[in-house]
Amino acid sequence: MSKYHALWEWLSANGNENITLSYDEIAEHAGVPLDHSFLTYKKELLDYGYEVKKISMKAQTVAFCRISPKKDDK
């Protein structure tokens, strides 16, 4: 299981089209602090219907957006 599994589950259950979370909020939902490995793990998010739209180092936020299901998934 991914170290960010709890965050992916939370995003999926949230259901909003666009969600922006601070690094602290991500740590709260994931149960682990955001670190460089997030760049590797973020690929798993596609399985939960979301993708990372933008990572802002300055604002310390990550913007997520819901992806459209593939035609095969309908």
Side-chain angles (χ1 to χ4, degrees), residues 12-71:
S12 182
N14 184 287
N16 288 340
E17 286 293 314
N18 296 294
I19 303 169
T20 300
L21 298 174
S22 69
Y23 290 2
D24 289 340
E25 290 171 319
I26 289 172
E28 182 181 318
H29 292 295
V32 294
L34 187 69
D35 61 20
H36 190 70
S37 71
F38 181 80
L39 298 174
T40 301
Y41 285 105
K42 71 178 184 161
K43 293 181 273 186
E44 301 171 345
L45 191 50
L46 295 173
D47 293 336
Y48 294 85
Y50 282 87
E51 65 184 356
V52 172
K53 186 174 182 180
K54 181 178 180 182
I55 298 173
S56 173
M57 300 285 282
K58 184 176 181 178
Q60 295 192 344
T61 59
V62 179
F64 302 91
C65 66
R66 182 174 286 287
I67 56 175
S68 301
K70 298 175 190 170
K71 290 183 180 181

